[in-house]
Amino acid sequence: MSKDVIIACDFNSKADLMTFLDKFENEDRKPFLKVGMELFYAEGPAIVKEIKARGHKIFLDLKLHDIPNTVKKAMAVLSALDVDICNLHAAGTAAMMEAALEGLTRADGTRPLLIAVTQLTSTSEERMQNLLIDRPLDEVVMHYAKNAKDAGLDGVVCSPLEAGKVKAVCGDAFLTVTPGVRFADGEVGDQVRVTTPAKARELGSDYIVVGRPITQAADPVQAYHRCIREFLGGEVE
């Protein structure tokens, strides 16, 4: 996969999602979409199938974190939905990540990309200390990323501010999927570790995940095009 902008479709109903997607009906380029817990829990697996039928790539963002056997079985179910990227929490241990890969791999050997969440972009060192994680945030993220790579995963979810450091530790081929991206003239919202689309590319992000700056924009299509220009330098691959 080449670099891309992923729109976070954090809607709570199919109706709201389709109203949003209809705005892109005349676009030659179908946006890459993130389906998270809110939409998936509201509409179930059927919404994923419907979005795929419309020609969109999907990052299914459910952040699994459970015992290895449970995650393995859940990933087998998600793999059948033919999504492009799945994720889980790196904190679930190497055994859980390895089990997830087993479940995700289909009989023909194919599978979606699997990435691990390191630390959420709403997390700060102060909040980590409340969980008795007393190491520096960067050190924790790099440790989780290295564990994910060693377990055979394709990449991690991290802040764009950490993307370059992850590449240095895990190699250029290891994917960095980065939320916490806002336009320079936009609101930060509930994110802590944020940057702009252009800076995210400069820092080493492979995919940026952008929600409200696009979905809540007065003109979502224009906002998406702006994000593409700023992150891809005008290139549409």
Side-chain angles (χ1 to χ4, degrees), residues 37 59-68 70-72 74-75 78 85-104 113-120 144 147-149 151-158:
M37 297 178 191
F59 167 22
L60 187 57
D61 177 27
L62 300 183
K63 302 182 181 72
L64 273 61
H65 188 169
D66 212 311
I67 64 172
T70 296
V71 171
K72 177 180 178 178
M75 283 294 184
L78 299 182
I85 305 176
C86 288
N87 69 350
L88 43 64
H89 272 287
T93 75
M96 188 197 77
M97 291 188 278
E98 291 165 358
L101 277 173
E102 287 184 48
L104 205 57
L113 294 172
L114 182 59
I115 59 178
V117 177
T118 53
Q119 289 292 326
L120 300 174
Y144 283 14
N147 284 350
K149 183 184 180 186
L153 271 62
D154 303 292
V156 291
V157 180
C158 63

mmCIF file of all heavy atoms in Angstrom, residues 37 59-68 70-72 74-75 78 85-104 113-120 144 147-149 151-158:
data_model
loop_
_atom_site.group_PDB
_atom_site.id
_atom_site.type_symbol
_atom_site.label_atom_id
_atom_site.label_comp_id
_atom_site.label_asym_id
_atom_site.label_seq_id
_atom_site.Cartn_x
_atom_site.Cartn_y
_atom_site.Cartn_z
ATOM 1 N N MET A 37 -15.354 1.709 16.740
ATOM 2 C CA MET A 37 -16.295 1.029 17.628
ATOM 3 C C MET A 37 -17.710 1.591 17.536
ATOM 4 O O MET A 37 -18.691 0.839 17.523
ATOM 5 C CB MET A 37 -15.811 1.143 19.066
ATOM 6 C CG MET A 37 -14.482 0.464 19.339
ATOM 7 S SD MET A 37 -14.019 0.728 21.073
ATOM 8 C CE MET A 37 -12.324 0.140 21.033
ATOM 9 N N PHE A 59 -10.152 0.461 7.181
ATOM 10 C CA PHE A 59 -9.372 0.191 8.383
ATOM 11 C C PHE A 59 -10.382 -0.060 9.489
ATOM 12 O O PHE A 59 -11.091 0.846 9.926
ATOM 13 C CB PHE A 59 -8.479 1.393 8.690
ATOM 14 C CG PHE A 59 -7.838 1.405 10.058
ATOM 15 C CD1 PHE A 59 -7.651 0.243 10.803
ATOM 16 C CD2 PHE A 59 -7.406 2.616 10.605
ATOM 17 C CE1 PHE A 59 -7.057 0.281 12.068
ATOM 18 C CE2 PHE A 59 -6.810 2.664 11.868
ATOM 19 C CZ PHE A 59 -6.648 1.490 12.602
ATOM 20 N N LEU A 60 -10.486 -1.309 9.942
ATOM 21 C CA LEU A 60 -11.430 -1.671 10.993
ATOM 22 C C LEU A 60 -10.743 -1.491 12.342
ATOM 23 O O LEU A 60 -9.884 -2.279 12.735
ATOM 24 C CB LEU A 60 -11.915 -3.108 10.808
ATOM 25 C CG LEU A 60 -13.032 -3.567 11.743
ATOM 26 C CD1 LEU A 60 -14.254 -2.662 11.638
ATOM 27 C CD2 LEU A 60 -13.421 -5.008 11.447
ATOM 28 N N ASP A 61 -11.144 -0.442 13.039
ATOM 29 C CA ASP A 61 -10.448 0.022 14.241
ATOM 30 C C ASP A 61 -11.212 -0.404 15.493
ATOM 31 O O ASP A 61 -11.945 0.388 16.086
ATOM 32 C CB ASP A 61 -10.328 1.546 14.157
ATOM 33 C CG ASP A 61 -9.684 2.171 15.376
ATOM 34 O OD1 ASP A 61 -8.887 1.480 16.043
ATOM 35 O OD2 ASP A 61 -9.976 3.353 15.654
ATOM 36 N N LEU A 62 -11.036 -1.665 15.897
ATOM 37 C CA LEU A 62 -11.740 -2.180 17.076
ATOM 38 C C LEU A 62 -10.814 -2.399 18.269
ATOM 39 O O LEU A 62 -11.275 -2.731 19.356
ATOM 40 C CB LEU A 62 -12.470 -3.480 16.726
ATOM 41 C CG LEU A 62 -13.529 -3.360 15.624
ATOM 42 C CD1 LEU A 62 -14.227 -4.694 15.419
ATOM 43 C CD2 LEU A 62 -14.540 -2.274 15.939
ATOM 44 N N LYS A 63 -9.517 -2.258 18.073
ATOM 45 C CA LYS A 63 -8.539 -2.294 19.165
ATOM 46 C C LYS A 63 -8.718 -3.494 20.089
ATOM 47 O O LYS A 63 -8.865 -3.348 21.308
ATOM 48 C CB LYS A 63 -8.593 -0.997 19.981
ATOM 49 C CG LYS A 63 -8.342 0.277 19.178
ATOM 50 C CD LYS A 63 -8.360 1.483 20.096
ATOM 51 C CE LYS A 63 -8.134 2.782 19.345
ATOM 52 N NZ LYS A 63 -9.304 3.169 18.530
ATOM 53 N N LEU A 64 -8.664 -4.696 19.532
ATOM 54 C CA LEU A 64 -8.868 -5.889 20.350
ATOM 55 C C LEU A 64 -7.808 -6.016 21.437
ATOM 56 O O LEU A 64 -6.642 -5.684 21.223
ATOM 57 C CB LEU A 64 -8.857 -7.144 19.469
ATOM 58 C CG LEU A 64 -10.207 -7.535 18.844
ATOM 59 C CD1 LEU A 64 -10.737 -6.455 17.933
ATOM 60 C CD2 LEU A 64 -10.095 -8.853 18.106
ATOM 61 N N HIS A 65 -8.238 -6.502 22.599
ATOM 62 C CA HIS A 65 -7.329 -6.706 23.731
ATOM 63 C C HIS A 65 -7.990 -7.719 24.655
ATOM 64 O O HIS A 65 -8.879 -7.378 25.435
ATOM 65 C CB HIS A 65 -7.087 -5.384 24.454
ATOM 66 C CG HIS A 65 -6.023 -5.456 25.505
ATOM 67 N ND1 HIS A 65 -5.499 -4.329 26.107
ATOM 68 C CD2 HIS A 65 -5.363 -6.495 26.063
ATOM 69 C CE1 HIS A 65 -4.578 -4.679 26.991
ATOM 70 N NE2 HIS A 65 -4.480 -6.007 26.994
ATOM 71 N N ASP A 66 -7.547 -8.972 24.567
ATOM 72 C CA ASP A 66 -8.142 -10.036 25.368
ATOM 73 C C ASP A 66 -7.143 -11.187 25.438
ATOM 74 O O ASP A 66 -6.011 -11.049 24.966
ATOM 75 C CB ASP A 66 -9.474 -10.479 24.748
ATOM 76 C CG ASP A 66 -10.481 -10.949 25.792
ATOM 77 O OD1 ASP A 66 -10.104 -11.768 26.661
ATOM 78 O OD2 ASP A 66 -11.649 -10.517 25.737
ATOM 79 N N ILE A 67 -7.565 -12.311 25.981
ATOM 80 C CA ILE A 67 -6.655 -13.445 26.023
ATOM 81 C C ILE A 67 -6.381 -13.912 24.593
ATOM 82 O O ILE A 67 -7.205 -13.713 23.695
ATOM 83 C CB ILE A 67 -7.217 -14.589 26.887
ATOM 84 C CG1 ILE A 67 -8.507 -15.162 26.273
ATOM 85 C CG2 ILE A 67 -7.440 -14.125 28.314
ATOM 86 C CD1 ILE A 67 -9.001 -16.420 26.974
ATOM 87 N N PRO A 68 -5.220 -14.521 24.332
ATOM 88 C CA PRO A 68 -4.837 -14.877 22.968
ATOM 89 C C PRO A 68 -5.883 -15.690 22.200
ATOM 90 O O PRO A 68 -6.166 -15.397 21.029
ATOM 91 C CB PRO A 68 -3.542 -15.681 23.165
ATOM 92 C CG PRO A 68 -2.931 -15.081 24.391
ATOM 93 C CD PRO A 68 -4.103 -14.772 25.293
ATOM 94 N N THR A 70 -9.146 -15.878 22.538
ATOM 95 C CA THR A 70 -10.322 -15.071 22.195
ATOM 96 C C THR A 70 -10.018 -14.137 21.036
ATOM 97 O O THR A 70 -10.822 -13.988 20.112
ATOM 98 C CB THR A 70 -10.787 -14.260 23.419
ATOM 99 O OG1 THR A 70 -11.202 -15.172 24.440
ATOM 100 C CG2 THR A 70 -11.943 -13.342 23.069
ATOM 101 N N VAL A 71 -8.859 -13.492 21.086
ATOM 102 C CA VAL A 71 -8.473 -12.574 20.012
ATOM 103 C C VAL A 71 -8.271 -13.329 18.699
ATOM 104 O O VAL A 71 -8.667 -12.868 17.627
ATOM 105 C CB VAL A 71 -7.198 -11.793 20.397
ATOM 106 C CG1 VAL A 71 -6.652 -11.008 19.208
ATOM 107 C CG2 VAL A 71 -7.515 -10.844 21.550
ATOM 108 N N LYS A 72 -7.682 -14.522 18.767
ATOM 109 C CA LYS A 72 -7.495 -15.335 17.568
ATOM 110 C C LYS A 72 -8.826 -15.631 16.888
ATOM 111 O O LYS A 72 -8.975 -15.478 15.667
ATOM 112 C CB LYS A 72 -6.792 -16.643 17.936
ATOM 113 C CG LYS A 72 -6.603 -17.599 16.761
ATOM 114 C CD LYS A 72 -5.895 -18.876 17.215
ATOM 115 C CE LYS A 72 -5.747 -19.870 16.061
ATOM 116 N NZ LYS A 72 -5.023 -21.088 16.494
ATOM 117 N N ALA A 74 -11.697 -14.026 17.275
ATOM 118 C CA ALA A 74 -12.322 -12.786 16.818
ATOM 119 C C ALA A 74 -11.702 -12.308 15.512
ATOM 120 O O ALA A 74 -12.404 -11.859 14.598
ATOM 121 C CB ALA A 74 -12.188 -11.708 17.887
ATOM 122 N N MET A 75 -10.385 -12.421 15.394
ATOM 123 C CA MET A 75 -9.704 -11.993 14.172
ATOM 124 C C MET A 75 -10.107 -12.853 12.975
ATOM 125 O O MET A 75 -10.188 -12.359 11.846
ATOM 126 C CB MET A 75 -8.194 -12.035 14.363
ATOM 127 C CG MET A 75 -7.639 -10.871 15.169
ATOM 128 S SD MET A 75 -7.840 -9.291 14.307
ATOM 129 C CE MET A 75 -7.000 -8.189 15.458
ATOM 130 N N LEU A 78 -13.263 -11.309 11.762
ATOM 131 C CA LEU A 78 -13.031 -10.019 11.116
ATOM 132 C C LEU A 78 -12.351 -10.182 9.763
ATOM 133 O O LEU A 78 -12.626 -9.433 8.820
ATOM 134 C CB LEU A 78 -12.192 -9.113 12.017
ATOM 135 C CG LEU A 78 -12.810 -8.766 13.380
ATOM 136 C CD1 LEU A 78 -11.894 -7.825 14.139
ATOM 137 C CD2 LEU A 78 -14.194 -8.178 13.225
ATOM 138 N N ILE A 85 -7.208 -3.282 6.840
ATOM 139 C CA ILE A 85 -6.374 -3.162 8.038
ATOM 140 C C ILE A 85 -7.220 -3.483 9.268
ATOM 141 O O ILE A 85 -8.376 -3.042 9.370
ATOM 142 C CB ILE A 85 -5.789 -1.741 8.203
ATOM 143 C CG1 ILE A 85 -5.003 -1.299 6.963
ATOM 144 C CG2 ILE A 85 -4.889 -1.664 9.438
ATOM 145 C CD1 ILE A 85 -4.480 0.143 7.037
ATOM 146 N N CYS A 86 -6.654 -4.253 10.193
ATOM 147 C CA CYS A 86 -7.247 -4.478 11.519
ATOM 148 C C CYS A 86 -6.236 -4.026 12.564
ATOM 149 O O CYS A 86 -5.052 -3.891 12.273
ATOM 150 C CB CYS A 86 -7.546 -5.961 11.748
ATOM 151 S SG CYS A 86 -8.925 -6.615 10.808
ATOM 152 N N ASN A 87 -6.714 -3.864 13.809
ATOM 153 C CA ASN A 87 -5.759 -3.499 14.853
ATOM 154 C C ASN A 87 -6.102 -4.134 16.197
ATOM 155 O O ASN A 87 -7.190 -4.698 16.398
ATOM 156 C CB ASN A 87 -5.619 -1.984 14.977
ATOM 157 C CG ASN A 87 -6.848 -1.306 15.532
ATOM 158 O OD1 ASN A 87 -7.906 -1.894 15.671
ATOM 159 N ND2 ASN A 87 -6.721 -0.024 15.842
ATOM 160 N N LEU A 88 -5.138 -4.039 17.108
ATOM 161 C CA LEU A 88 -5.276 -4.517 18.481
ATOM 162 C C LEU A 88 -4.355 -3.684 19.358
ATOM 163 O O LEU A 88 -3.610 -2.849 18.866
ATOM 164 C CB LEU A 88 -4.931 -6.016 18.565
ATOM 165 C CG LEU A 88 -3.715 -6.552 17.797
ATOM 166 C CD1 LEU A 88 -2.409 -5.967 18.278
ATOM 167 C CD2 LEU A 88 -3.654 -8.063 17.918
ATOM 168 N N HIS A 89 -4.429 -3.912 20.664
ATOM 169 C CA HIS A 89 -3.559 -3.175 21.582
ATOM 170 C C HIS A 89 -2.248 -3.932 21.787
ATOM 171 O O HIS A 89 -2.249 -5.112 22.154
ATOM 172 C CB HIS A 89 -4.245 -2.983 22.939
ATOM 173 C CG HIS A 89 -5.088 -1.750 23.001
ATOM 174 N ND1 HIS A 89 -4.544 -0.477 23.069
ATOM 175 C CD2 HIS A 89 -6.435 -1.581 23.001
ATOM 176 C CE1 HIS A 89 -5.520 0.408 23.121
ATOM 177 N NE2 HIS A 89 -6.679 -0.234 23.081
ATOM 178 N N ALA A 90 -1.136 -3.253 21.582
ATOM 179 C CA ALA A 90 0.171 -3.877 21.800
ATOM 180 C C ALA A 90 0.342 -4.321 23.240
ATOM 181 O O ALA A 90 1.103 -5.258 23.529
ATOM 182 C CB ALA A 90 1.288 -2.900 21.415
ATOM 183 N N ALA A 91 -0.357 -3.675 24.160
ATOM 184 C CA ALA A 91 -0.263 -4.030 25.573
ATOM 185 C C ALA A 91 -0.805 -5.425 25.856
ATOM 186 O O ALA A 91 -0.606 -5.956 26.950
ATOM 187 C CB ALA A 91 -1.008 -3.009 26.426
ATOM 188 N N GLY A 92 -1.454 -6.032 24.883
ATOM 189 C CA GLY A 92 -1.993 -7.377 25.057
ATOM 190 C C GLY A 92 -0.954 -8.474 25.037
ATOM 191 O O GLY A 92 -1.307 -9.647 25.163
ATOM 192 N N THR A 93 0.298 -8.151 24.855
ATOM 193 C CA THR A 93 1.461 -9.055 24.865
ATOM 194 C C THR A 93 1.724 -9.694 23.504
ATOM 195 O O THR A 93 0.840 -9.779 22.649
ATOM 196 C CB THR A 93 1.355 -10.193 25.915
ATOM 197 O OG1 THR A 93 0.430 -11.189 25.448
ATOM 198 C CG2 THR A 93 0.953 -9.664 27.272
ATOM 199 N N ALA A 94 2.955 -10.180 23.348
ATOM 200 C CA ALA A 94 3.371 -10.825 22.101
ATOM 201 C C ALA A 94 2.526 -12.053 21.810
ATOM 202 O O ALA A 94 2.188 -12.333 20.652
ATOM 203 C CB ALA A 94 4.852 -11.198 22.178
ATOM 204 N N ALA A 95 2.172 -12.817 22.843
ATOM 205 C CA ALA A 95 1.371 -14.028 22.636
ATOM 206 C C ALA A 95 0.025 -13.693 22.016
ATOM 207 O O ALA A 95 -0.466 -14.400 21.123
ATOM 208 C CB ALA A 95 1.181 -14.761 23.962
ATOM 209 N N MET A 96 -0.579 -12.600 22.467
ATOM 210 C CA MET A 96 -1.861 -12.188 21.898
ATOM 211 C C MET A 96 -1.699 -11.736 20.451
ATOM 212 O O MET A 96 -2.522 -12.070 19.578
ATOM 213 C CB MET A 96 -2.471 -11.067 22.730
ATOM 214 C CG MET A 96 -3.901 -10.708 22.316
ATOM 215 S SD MET A 96 -4.428 -9.087 22.937
ATOM 216 C CE MET A 96 -3.584 -7.980 21.798
ATOM 217 N N MET A 97 -0.643 -10.985 20.161
ATOM 218 C CA MET A 97 -0.427 -10.503 18.802
ATOM 219 C C MET A 97 -0.157 -11.657 17.838
ATOM 220 O O MET A 97 -0.662 -11.682 16.710
ATOM 221 C CB MET A 97 0.714 -9.480 18.785
ATOM 222 C CG MET A 97 0.347 -8.177 19.482
ATOM 223 S SD MET A 97 1.568 -6.849 19.296
ATOM 224 C CE MET A 97 2.756 -7.279 20.564
ATOM 225 N N GLU A 98 0.617 -12.621 18.278
ATOM 226 C CA GLU A 98 0.898 -13.789 17.437
ATOM 227 C C GLU A 98 -0.366 -14.600 17.186
ATOM 228 O O GLU A 98 -0.613 -15.077 16.075
ATOM 229 C CB GLU A 98 1.974 -14.651 18.089
ATOM 230 C CG GLU A 98 3.353 -13.993 18.090
ATOM 231 C CD GLU A 98 4.334 -14.664 19.028
ATOM 232 O OE1 GLU A 98 3.938 -15.637 19.719
ATOM 233 O OE2 GLU A 98 5.499 -14.207 19.092
ATOM 234 N N ALA A 99 -1.198 -14.745 18.203
ATOM 235 C CA ALA A 99 -2.464 -15.462 18.047
ATOM 236 C C ALA A 99 -3.390 -14.717 17.083
ATOM 237 O O ALA A 99 -4.104 -15.335 16.277
ATOM 238 C CB ALA A 99 -3.142 -15.631 19.404
ATOM 239 N N ALA A 100 -3.372 -13.390 17.161
ATOM 240 C CA ALA A 100 -4.192 -12.580 16.260
ATOM 241 C C ALA A 100 -3.808 -12.812 14.808
ATOM 242 O O ALA A 100 -4.673 -12.922 13.931
ATOM 243 C CB ALA A 100 -4.045 -11.107 16.614
ATOM 244 N N LEU A 101 -2.504 -12.861 14.547
ATOM 245 C CA LEU A 101 -2.042 -13.129 13.183
ATOM 246 C C LEU A 101 -2.523 -14.486 12.679
ATOM 247 O O LEU A 101 -2.934 -14.628 11.530
ATOM 248 C CB LEU A 101 -0.515 -13.073 13.123
ATOM 249 C CG LEU A 101 0.138 -11.708 12.977
ATOM 250 C CD1 LEU A 101 1.646 -11.837 13.104
ATOM 251 C CD2 LEU A 101 -0.238 -11.066 11.643
ATOM 252 N N GLU A 102 -2.494 -15.476 13.545
ATOM 253 C CA GLU A 102 -2.979 -16.799 13.165
ATOM 254 C C GLU A 102 -4.446 -16.744 12.782
ATOM 255 O O GLU A 102 -4.870 -17.299 11.768
ATOM 256 C CB GLU A 102 -2.794 -17.782 14.322
ATOM 257 C CG GLU A 102 -1.364 -18.213 14.572
ATOM 258 C CD GLU A 102 -1.299 -19.257 15.675
ATOM 259 O OE1 GLU A 102 -2.086 -20.226 15.631
ATOM 260 O OE2 GLU A 102 -0.473 -19.093 16.595
ATOM 261 N N GLY A 103 -5.238 -16.083 13.600
ATOM 262 C CA GLY A 103 -6.664 -15.995 13.314
ATOM 263 C C GLY A 103 -6.975 -15.187 12.076
ATOM 264 O O GLY A 103 -7.924 -15.478 11.349
ATOM 265 N N LEU A 104 -6.175 -14.177 11.824
ATOM 266 C CA LEU A 104 -6.424 -13.269 10.703
ATOM 267 C C LEU A 104 -6.066 -13.896 9.355
ATOM 268 O O LEU A 104 -6.619 -13.520 8.315
ATOM 269 C CB LEU A 104 -5.592 -12.002 10.910
ATOM 270 C CG LEU A 104 -6.051 -10.707 10.257
ATOM 271 C CD1 LEU A 104 -7.467 -10.337 10.669
ATOM 272 C CD2 LEU A 104 -5.087 -9.577 10.619
ATOM 273 N N LEU A 113 -3.773 -6.314 6.703
ATOM 274 C CA LEU A 113 -2.660 -5.822 7.492
ATOM 275 C C LEU A 113 -3.080 -5.783 8.955
ATOM 276 O O LEU A 113 -4.241 -5.505 9.270
ATOM 277 C CB LEU A 113 -2.262 -4.420 7.042
ATOM 278 C CG LEU A 113 -1.686 -4.276 5.630
ATOM 279 C CD1 LEU A 113 -1.523 -2.805 5.270
ATOM 280 C CD2 LEU A 113 -0.375 -5.019 5.499
ATOM 281 N N LEU A 114 -2.141 -6.066 9.840
ATOM 282 C CA LEU A 114 -2.424 -6.029 11.274
ATOM 283 C C LEU A 114 -1.462 -5.065 11.942
ATOM 284 O O LEU A 114 -0.235 -5.200 11.803
ATOM 285 C CB LEU A 114 -2.288 -7.418 11.891
ATOM 286 C CG LEU A 114 -2.609 -7.515 13.389
ATOM 287 C CD1 LEU A 114 -4.047 -7.066 13.670
ATOM 288 C CD2 LEU A 114 -2.373 -8.928 13.901
ATOM 289 N N ILE A 115 -2.019 -4.097 12.649
ATOM 290 C CA ILE A 115 -1.205 -3.097 13.323
ATOM 291 C C ILE A 115 -1.595 -3.029 14.803
ATOM 292 O O ILE A 115 -2.703 -3.409 15.184
ATOM 293 C CB ILE A 115 -1.345 -1.706 12.666
ATOM 294 C CG1 ILE A 115 -2.803 -1.230 12.700
ATOM 295 C CG2 ILE A 115 -0.827 -1.750 11.242
ATOM 296 C CD1 ILE A 115 -3.009 0.156 12.104
ATOM 297 N N ALA A 116 -0.663 -2.560 15.615
ATOM 298 C CA ALA A 116 -0.881 -2.513 17.066
ATOM 299 C C ALA A 116 -0.928 -1.072 17.557
ATOM 300 O O ALA A 116 -0.109 -0.237 17.153
ATOM 301 C CB ALA A 116 0.234 -3.268 17.788
ATOM 302 N N VAL A 117 -1.868 -0.790 18.439
ATOM 303 C CA VAL A 117 -1.937 0.519 19.088
ATOM 304 C C VAL A 117 -0.857 0.572 20.167
ATOM 305 O O VAL A 117 -0.789 -0.305 21.027
ATOM 306 C CB VAL A 117 -3.321 0.739 19.721
ATOM 307 C CG1 VAL A 117 -3.368 2.078 20.457
ATOM 308 C CG2 VAL A 117 -4.416 0.674 18.656
ATOM 309 N N THR A 118 -0.016 1.595 20.107
ATOM 310 C CA THR A 118 1.028 1.757 21.124
ATOM 311 C C THR A 118 0.444 2.502 22.320
ATOM 312 O O THR A 118 0.109 1.905 23.334
ATOM 313 C CB THR A 118 2.243 2.490 20.537
ATOM 314 O OG1 THR A 118 1.801 3.725 19.915
ATOM 315 C CG2 THR A 118 2.941 1.628 19.500
ATOM 316 N N GLN A 119 0.323 3.813 22.195
ATOM 317 C CA GLN A 119 -0.386 4.620 23.185
ATOM 318 C C GLN A 119 -1.325 5.564 22.431
ATOM 319 O O GLN A 119 -0.960 6.109 21.385
ATOM 320 C CB GLN A 119 0.586 5.435 24.037
ATOM 321 C CG GLN A 119 1.397 4.603 25.008
ATOM 322 C CD GLN A 119 0.547 3.993 26.117
ATOM 323 O OE1 GLN A 119 -0.421 4.589 26.571
ATOM 324 N NE2 GLN A 119 0.922 2.805 26.559
ATOM 325 N N LEU A 120 -2.522 5.728 22.930
ATOM 326 C CA LEU A 120 -3.495 6.590 22.275
ATOM 327 C C LEU A 120 -2.985 8.019 22.220
ATOM 328 O O LEU A 120 -2.252 8.463 23.109
ATOM 329 C CB LEU A 120 -4.828 6.543 23.023
ATOM 330 C CG LEU A 120 -5.480 5.157 23.129
ATOM 331 C CD1 LEU A 120 -6.718 5.233 24.016
ATOM 332 C CD2 LEU A 120 -5.832 4.606 21.756
ATOM 333 N N TYR A 144 6.781 -0.906 22.737
ATOM 334 C CA TYR A 144 5.587 -1.568 22.211
ATOM 335 C C TYR A 144 5.717 -1.823 20.707
ATOM 336 O O TYR A 144 5.312 -2.868 20.206
ATOM 337 C CB TYR A 144 4.342 -0.714 22.482
ATOM 338 C CG TYR A 144 3.819 -0.768 23.899
ATOM 339 C CD1 TYR A 144 4.562 -1.303 24.942
ATOM 340 C CD2 TYR A 144 2.561 -0.243 24.214
ATOM 341 C CE1 TYR A 144 4.081 -1.334 26.246
ATOM 342 C CE2 TYR A 144 2.062 -0.278 25.507
ATOM 343 C CZ TYR A 144 2.835 -0.825 26.517
ATOM 344 O OH TYR A 144 2.343 -0.855 27.793
ATOM 345 N N ASN A 147 8.042 -4.744 20.106
ATOM 346 C CA ASN A 147 7.343 -5.991 20.416
ATOM 347 C C ASN A 147 6.396 -6.393 19.293
ATOM 348 O O ASN A 147 6.288 -7.577 18.947
ATOM 349 C CB ASN A 147 6.544 -5.842 21.721
ATOM 350 C CG ASN A 147 7.427 -5.892 22.945
ATOM 351 O OD1 ASN A 147 8.610 -6.208 22.865
ATOM 352 N ND2 ASN A 147 6.848 -5.568 24.093
ATOM 353 N N ALA A 148 5.700 -5.397 18.733
ATOM 354 C CA ALA A 148 4.773 -5.678 17.638
ATOM 355 C C ALA A 148 5.513 -6.198 16.411
ATOM 356 O O ALA A 148 5.078 -7.153 15.754
ATOM 357 C CB ALA A 148 3.985 -4.420 17.289
ATOM 358 N N LYS A 149 6.630 -5.574 16.091
ATOM 359 C CA LYS A 149 7.420 -6.048 14.948
ATOM 360 C C LYS A 149 7.925 -7.463 15.184
ATOM 361 O O LYS A 149 7.845 -8.328 14.303
ATOM 362 C CB LYS A 149 8.598 -5.118 14.677
ATOM 363 C CG LYS A 149 9.390 -5.560 13.436
ATOM 364 C CD LYS A 149 10.616 -4.720 13.199
ATOM 365 C CE LYS A 149 11.340 -5.223 11.951
ATOM 366 N NZ LYS A 149 12.622 -4.520 11.745
ATOM 367 N N ALA A 151 6.623 -9.716 16.895
ATOM 368 C CA ALA A 151 5.499 -10.652 16.844
ATOM 369 C C ALA A 151 5.015 -10.887 15.415
ATOM 370 O O ALA A 151 4.151 -11.733 15.193
ATOM 371 C CB ALA A 151 4.349 -10.131 17.702
ATOM 372 N N GLY A 152 5.561 -10.125 14.445
ATOM 373 C CA GLY A 152 5.210 -10.324 13.047
ATOM 374 C C GLY A 152 4.184 -9.368 12.492
ATOM 375 O O GLY A 152 3.721 -9.542 11.355
ATOM 376 N N LEU A 153 3.820 -8.330 13.270
ATOM 377 C CA LEU A 153 2.821 -7.383 12.793
ATOM 378 C C LEU A 153 3.397 -6.458 11.720
ATOM 379 O O LEU A 153 4.609 -6.361 11.533
ATOM 380 C CB LEU A 153 2.262 -6.558 13.961
ATOM 381 C CG LEU A 153 1.048 -7.175 14.670
ATOM 382 C CD1 LEU A 153 1.386 -8.502 15.306
ATOM 383 C CD2 LEU A 153 0.470 -6.208 15.698
ATOM 384 N N ASP A 154 2.498 -5.761 11.023
ATOM 385 C CA ASP A 154 2.892 -4.928 9.890
ATOM 386 C C ASP A 154 3.207 -3.489 10.272
ATOM 387 O O ASP A 154 3.825 -2.762 9.492
ATOM 388 C CB ASP A 154 1.768 -4.921 8.837
ATOM 389 C CG ASP A 154 1.432 -6.325 8.369
ATOM 390 O OD1 ASP A 154 2.285 -6.939 7.706
ATOM 391 O OD2 ASP A 154 0.322 -6.811 8.682
ATOM 392 N N GLY A 155 2.775 -3.071 11.457
ATOM 393 C CA GLY A 155 3.014 -1.697 11.843
ATOM 394 C C GLY A 155 2.308 -1.369 13.136
ATOM 395 O O GLY A 155 1.804 -2.253 13.829
ATOM 396 N N VAL A 156 2.272 -0.070 13.438
ATOM 397 C CA VAL A 156 1.637 0.383 14.676
ATOM 398 C C VAL A 156 0.806 1.627 14.437
ATOM 399 O O VAL A 156 0.990 2.352 13.458
ATOM 400 C CB VAL A 156 2.676 0.700 15.776
ATOM 401 C CG1 VAL A 156 3.354 -0.559 16.272
ATOM 402 C CG2 VAL A 156 3.694 1.733 15.300
ATOM 403 N N VAL A 157 -0.084 1.859 15.374
ATOM 404 C CA VAL A 157 -0.767 3.144 15.496
ATOM 405 C C VAL A 157 0.005 3.950 16.532
ATOM 406 O O VAL A 157 0.247 3.468 17.641
ATOM 407 C CB VAL A 157 -2.221 2.972 15.970
ATOM 408 C CG1 VAL A 157 -2.897 4.330 16.092
ATOM 409 C CG2 VAL A 157 -2.991 2.066 15.025
ATOM 410 N N CYS A 158 0.405 5.146 16.153
ATOM 411 C CA CYS A 158 1.161 5.999 17.075
ATOM 412 C C CYS A 158 0.880 7.445 16.724
ATOM 413 O O CYS A 158 0.217 7.748 15.726
ATOM 414 C CB CYS A 158 2.657 5.698 16.989
ATOM 415 S SG CYS A 158 3.408 6.047 15.375
#
